[in-house]
Amino acid sequence: GAGVSQSPSNKVTEKGKDVELRCDPISGHTALYWYRQSLGQGLEFLIYFQGNSAPDKSGLPSDRFSAERTGGSVSTLTIQRTQQEDSAVYLCASSWDRGNEQFFGPGTRLTVL
Amino acid sequence: QKEVEQNSGPLSVPEGAIASLNCTYSDRGSQSFFWYRQYSGKSPELIMSIYSNGDKEDGRFTAQLNKASQYVSLLIRDSQPSDSATYLCAVNILTGGGNKLTFGTGTQLKVEL
């Protein structure tokens, strides 16, 4: 079956612009996660969605970051007024339920000039 | 104390040797444990899961779990240069918000010819 997909694969933007990153999870997975990974670093948890429950936003680094998940499926991560320090790979993962193994998408490489 | 700890490495082993990767975790109640492999520039890929004390073998990979000592390890037999990657340990940790899969920062493995 289809895995987790993300788009775009690469995004180059200018400082101060807004960007939207998209994640399409594995069909049937109720849990969806966003992570950020800077070059040579570990995974930084950003936000988690589980079904219709309120999302866990505890990892969002600032109020410029927001995410939504429509219809319990596709999710969009939005970064407003991008800064150079936002440059990283943004990874999306999904799982059957929280605590189960997660399956990752290919990531979106964001470069802020 | 970090919830999931790994030695960052790099761990260098000669081709054909056994590579041993270790991970310790803080939550004594954790029940699910996973190993991911991440090649440079790629997203993490699930390679092993283990839930019970003891060994679990899959091809050249063996996961070992010791809940009493709170550690999980991954052995790679007959290491190949293609095994060179960063290996992430992930543990199901009970938090205030429920179960959460928590990742270590990864151990870089280099298999040398």
Side-chain angles (χ1 to χ4, degrees):
Chain A
V4 178
S5 60
Q6 291 186 247
S7 61
S9 55
N10 279 285
K11 177 71 176 178
V12 179
T13 190
E14 293 179 347
K15 177 181 174 181
K17 300 280 190 181
D18 297 353
V19 295
E20 282 190 354
L21 312 179
R22 176 188 168 104
C23 172
D24 202 340
I26 292 172
S27 178
H29 280 191
T30 62
L32 186 148
Y33 311 78
W34 282 98
Y35 295 90
R36 179 169 69 175
Q37 190 172 37
S38 300
L39 189 63
Q41 302 299 308
L43 297 173
E44 177 187 3
F45 167 77
L46 297 178
I47 188 168
Y48 155 74
F49 295 91
Q50 173 71 58
N52 295 321
S53 302
D56 176 356
K57 304 179 182 180
S58 60
L60 294 178
S62 78
D63 58 8
R64 295 187 296 105
F65 289 73
S66 63
E68 62 179 21
R69 188 179 185 191
T70 54
S73 182
V74 171
S75 176
T76 302
L77 176 69
T78 301
I79 309 174
Q80 296 178 310
R81 304 180 302 281
T82 51
Q83 305 294 312
Q84 289 181 331
E85 60 263 28
D86 298 334
S87 296
V89 175
Y90 289 81
L91 291 163
C92 175
S94 70
S95 67
W96 287 111
D97 198 356
R98 193 175 204 185
N100 295 138
E101 57 265 59
Q102 296 176 19
F103 296 90
F104 286 82
T108 294
R109 180 174 299 278
L110 175 66
T111 303
V112 182
L113 301 177
Chain B
Q1 180 189 6
K2 291 183 181 178
E3 293 175 316
V4 180
E5 290 203 64
Q6 297 181 255
N7 187 319
S8 61
L11 172 66
S12 294
V13 299
E15 184 178 6
I18 296 176
S20 177
L21 304 162
N22 300 311
C23 172
T24 59
Y25 59 94
S26 61
D27 181 6
R28 188 172 289 276
S30 294
Q31 298 294 323
S32 307
F33 308 85
F34 309 96
W35 283 99
Y36 287 79
R37 177 177 61 200
Q38 186 175 25
Y39 291 115
S40 180
K42 301 294 186 182
S43 60
E45 170 194 15
L46 179 68
I47 56 171
M48 289 285 287
S49 59
I50 187 166
Y51 306 94
S52 304
N53 275 329
D55 295 0
K56 179 182 178 182
E57 187 174 319
D58 183 0
R60 295 187 296 111
F61 297 96
T62 298
Q64 298 177 316
L65 176 60
N66 184 323
K67 291 184 180 180
S69 299
Q70 294 174 240
Y71 82 77
V72 56
S73 61
L74 179 69
L75 301 179
I76 306 175
R77 289 181 300 281
D78 187 25
S79 295
Q80 302 297 309
S82 59
D83 295 326
S84 298
T86 295
Y87 290 80
L88 302 171
C89 171
V91 178
N92 187 350
I93 301 284
L94 182 61
T95 69
N99 290 318
K100 178 181 175 182
L101 194 61
T102 301
F103 288 83
T105 53
T107 297
Q108 184 183 7
L109 173 66
K110 294 184 176 180
V111 181
E112 298 168 334
L113 294 171

